[in-house]
């Protein structure tokens, strides 16, 4: 579930193969914790996420479908391409963020910058940090020109039984208090394929996510100017 807002960009998660596709389902507890303040928040999110590496870099995308009150509430997507055909661990990073709801469309964003990517010898630990120029195409208040910093991490431990992954985004937006927006979504997964006696092809995981954000979530009063900590419970299948 990448960002009910922006997830801003999680893209070198923890990949040991040249391509990986997964589907996630999240039950969001925002309504249960914050009551009427977030009564407009979708309760379910279905995510399709794919990472593919090639000789010239990598491509990542995800699509979030958010459901509330027995109907599709919104769709949000991010598409990122990294270009790297040299040995240095620095890549060119290009990205698009956007989507729509049943009432309005998200503020499309176009990003370009550089990424530093690191992984240990067996890819059980990975880390990426990205510094980007960000163009907010539909910004009505303040400037459309912005910047974003993104960190993405992945740690697999207990012989692959557990995974701790996530991202953190910080970007400039004159339309909010303090002109800064923050979002982070750490995830913990329990991977059944690593259990003794379970077929290696059983790529099923259960886990949880905690969405931490400031100046991002829109409550029922329509003012996105506070901090929220919203957990989910989740299931994932990796192909």
């Amino acid at each position: 579930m990448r960002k009910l807002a922006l997830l801003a960009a999680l893209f070198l998660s923890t990949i040991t193969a040249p391509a990986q596709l997964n589907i996630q389902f999240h039950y969001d507890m925002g309504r249960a914790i914050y009551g009427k303040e977030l009564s407009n928040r979708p309760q379910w999110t279905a995510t399709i996420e794919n990472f593919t590496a090639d000789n010239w870099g990598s491509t990542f995308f995800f699509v979030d479908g958010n459901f509330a009150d027995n109907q599709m509430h919104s769709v949000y997507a991010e598409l990122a391409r990294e270009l790297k055909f040299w040995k240095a661990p620095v890549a060119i990073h290009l990205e698009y963020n956007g989507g729509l709801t049943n009432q309005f469309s998200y503020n499309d964003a176009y990003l370009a910058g550089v990424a530093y990517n690191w992984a240990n010898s067996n890819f059980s630990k990975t880390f990426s940090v990205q510094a980007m120029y960000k163009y907010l195409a539909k910004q009505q208040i303040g400037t459309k020109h912005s910047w974003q910093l993104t960190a993405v991490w992945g740690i697999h431990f207990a012989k692959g039984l557990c995974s701790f992954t996530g991202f953190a985004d910080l970007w400039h937006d004159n339309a909010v208090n303090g002109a800064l927006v923050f979002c982070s979504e750490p995830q913990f997964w329990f991977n059944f394929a690593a259990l003794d006696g379970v077929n290696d092809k059983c790529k099923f995981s259960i886990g949880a996510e905690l969405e931490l954000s400031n100046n991002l979530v829109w409550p029922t009063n329509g003012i996105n100017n506070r901090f929220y900590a919203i957990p989910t419970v989740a299931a994932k299948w990796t192909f």
Side-chain angles (χ1 to χ4, degrees):
M1 173 177 168
R2 248 38 25 226
K3 330 160 207 187
L4 212 204
L6 85 270
L7 198 347
L10 132 65
F11 127 15
L12 223 156
S13 60
T14 52
I15 309 298
T16 59
Q20 188 181 75
L21 171 71
N22 72 73
I23 296 176
Q24 303 175 26
F25 292 95
H26 291 255
Y27 178 73
D28 188 289
M29 299 182 186
R31 291 191 186 191
I33 295 174
Y34 293 97
K36 291 183 178 180
E37 185 175 348
L38 293 184
S39 62
N40 59 341
R41 185 174 175 86
Q43 297 162 292
W44 293 95
T45 296
T47 297
I48 299 174
E49 187 176 69
N50 186 78
F51 176 94
T52 303
D54 55 54
N55 292 333
W56 298 277
S58 60
T59 301
F60 171 83
F61 71 84
F62 77 84
V63 180
D64 278 348
N66 301 299
F67 301 85
D69 303 320
N70 300 314
Q71 64 177 331
M72 175 74 79
H73 178 272
S74 60
V75 175
Y76 178 81
E78 295 190 3
L79 172 64
R81 174 67 189 178
E82 287 200 351
L83 298 173
K84 180 181 178 298
F85 36 89
W86 49 82
K87 292 185 178 181
V90 178
I92 298 171
H93 185 102
L94 305 172
E95 186 174 332
Y96 165 78
N97 306 161
L100 51 84
T101 76
N102 52 16
Q103 295 179 328
F104 61 88
S105 61
Y106 287 101
N107 188 358
D108 292 347
Y110 301 87
L111 302 92
V114 294
Y116 172 81
N117 302 318
W118 173 88
N120 66 351
S121 58
N122 64 358
F123 286 85
S124 63
K125 298 178 182 178
T126 63
F127 179 76
S128 175
V129 60
Q130 303 149 18
M132 297 169 285
Y133 163 76
K134 185 173 188 176
Y135 180 73
L136 302 170
K138 299 177 182 177
Q139 185 79 315
Q140 300 297 319
I141 302 174
T143 178
K144 295 183 177 182
H145 303 284
S146 180
W147 52 263
Q148 179 170 308
L149 299 175
T150 293
V152 183
W153 68 88
I155 302 172
H156 301 289
F157 56 98
K159 298 181 179 180
L161 188 63
C162 300
S163 299
F164 177 59
T165 64
F167 75 93
D169 289 336
L170 177 69
W171 72 96
H172 181 266
D173 186 342
N174 283 342
V176 302
N177 289 345
L180 290 175
V181 181
F182 173 78
C183 181
S184 180
E185 293 183 1
Q187 297 181 341
F188 177 85
W189 296 103
F190 182 87
N191 307 307
F192 283 86
L195 289 173
D196 292 339
V198 175
N199 193 306
D200 291 344
K201 294 182 180 180
C202 179
K203 301 297 185 179
F204 180 67
S205 304
I206 59 172
E209 176 182 277
L210 181 62
E211 180 187 296
L212 304 169
S213 68
N214 194 57
N215 291 341
L216 178 63
V217 173
W218 288 88
T220 53
N221 65 10
I223 303 174
N224 58 330
N225 63 354
R226 59 158 291 183
F227 174 84
Y228 288 96
I230 302 173
T232 75
V233 291
K236 176 173 68 171
W237 187 275
T238 302
F239 295 89

